[in-house]
């Protein structure tokens, strides 16, 4: 009986090992981020569910602007289920020593000294031409796929999802917030095109939360 139990435990551990290894792969940011190129308007293509986005029905955007004091102005907006426009403004700051790791705050400025009002915002994948980006954080609670255009090529979207899953993200609840375009290519060609898309690779030796 002991032999059977021990064998079952060992077999179970063996089968679970790959999944555990995948989940433990760290979320990493890209090695470089030019804020002047990253600034401007982004369209949200998809996100993991968040309480503060429940009221958004579509047309979700994020606008970033550089400030004279070195911080980044943030304005998130969306079309509500009632047909109106909702928006919120905040501020972001870079994490020292990590160009692609920011911290974002939507709380009033006088609360800025409190560490828990700042949320991690890591750029974990980025197009070389700054036409799309994927944003996450180390606990895998948040994820946004962003594009300069209000839609995204389906093959590219699938590639970014796979990259997030390789970092341990559970994307089963992922919310698609914008339309995907059919590349018009055969499956193998679409995959080759996505694999060839210019992208910054994360620094796998690195380690920060919000859009």
């Amino acid at each position: 009986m002991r032999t059977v139990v021990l064998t079952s435990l060992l077999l179970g551990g063996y089968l679970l090992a790959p999944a555990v290894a995948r989940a433990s792969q760290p979320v990493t940011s890209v090695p470089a981020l030019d804020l002047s190129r990253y600034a401007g308007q982004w369209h949200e293509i998809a996100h993991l569910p968040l309480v503060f986005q429940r009221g958004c029905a579509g047309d979700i955007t994020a606008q970033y602007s550089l400030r004279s004091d070195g911080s980044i102005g943030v304005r998130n907006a969306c079309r509500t289920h009632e047909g109106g426009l909702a928006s919120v403004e905040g501020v972001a700051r870079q994490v020292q020593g990590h160009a692609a790791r920011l911290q974002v705050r939507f709380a009033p400025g006088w609360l800025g000294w409190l560490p828990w009002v700042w949320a991690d915002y890591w750029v974990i994948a980025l197009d070389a031409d700054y036409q799309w980006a994927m944003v996450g954080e180390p606990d895998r609670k948040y994820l946004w796929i962003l594009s300069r255009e209000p839609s995204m090529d389906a093959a590219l979207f699938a590639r970014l999802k796979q990259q997030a899953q390789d970092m341990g993200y559970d994307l089963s609840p992922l919310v698609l917030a914008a339309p995907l375009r059919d590349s018009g290519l055969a499956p193998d060609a679409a995959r080759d095109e996505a694999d060839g898309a210019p992208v910054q690779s994360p620094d796998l030796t690195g380690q920060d939360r919000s859009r």
Side-chain angles (χ1 to χ4, degrees):
M1 179 62 179
R2 289 181 180 177
T3 302
V4 173
V5 172
L6 181 59
T7 301
S8 299
L9 289 173
L10 290 173
L11 180 59
Y14 174 78
L15 293 175
L16 287 173
V20 172
R22 284 196 300 271
S24 63
Q25 181 179 340
V27 177
T28 55
S29 57
V30 297
L33 179 68
D34 183 339
L35 287 177
S36 64
R37 298 182 67 191
Y38 194 76
Q41 179 167 283
W42 291 89
H43 297 270
E44 182 187 288
I45 304 300
H47 67 269
L48 287 179
L50 292 166
V51 172
F52 55 82
Q53 285 194 276
R54 286 179 182 171
C56 292
D59 300 329
I60 306 174
T61 60
Q63 182 86 26
Y64 304 111
S65 57
L66 303 183
R67 295 180 170 181
S68 58
D69 64 357
S71 64
I72 304 107
V74 180
R75 185 179 186 274
N76 292 341
C78 72
R79 176 173 48 81
T80 67
H81 294 285
E82 293 73 32
L85 180 67
S87 64
V88 62
E89 296 192 7
V91 64
R93 64 188 183 188
Q94 276 185 308
V95 175
Q96 188 173 8
H98 299 280
R101 299 180 188 182
L102 308 179
Q103 291 180 320
V104 182
R105 167 181 58 77
F106 291 99
W110 59 273
L111 290 175
W113 63 277
L114 296 171
W116 54 83
V117 304
W118 295 91
D120 292 331
Y121 178 117
W122 290 13
V123 180
I124 61 177
L126 180 63
D127 175 43
D129 293 325
Y130 286 66
Q131 294 304 298
W132 52 258
M134 186 161 61
V135 176
E137 52 82 44
D139 293 330
R140 304 178 181 86
K141 295 177 182 177
Y142 313 139
L143 185 80
W144 293 275
I145 295 178
L146 308 175
S147 173
R148 293 295 191 183
E149 299 180 357
S151 63
M152 178 174 279
D153 178 82
L156 171 59
F157 180 71
R159 173 174 173 248
L160 292 175
K161 283 179 60 180
Q162 185 60 58
Q163 187 171 340
Q165 289 172 322
D166 289 344
M167 288 189 185
Y169 272 96
D170 174 13
L171 298 186
S172 55
L174 189 70
V175 176
L176 184 63
L180 299 178
R181 303 188 305 271
D182 186 351
S183 63
L185 301 175
D188 289 344
R191 183 167 53 252
D192 292 342
E193 181 184 79
D195 288 343
V199 59
Q200 285 194 37
S201 299
D203 177 0
L204 297 180
T205 63
Q207 9 177 358
D208 221 272
R209 275 181 240 213
S210 142
R211 186 174 96 265

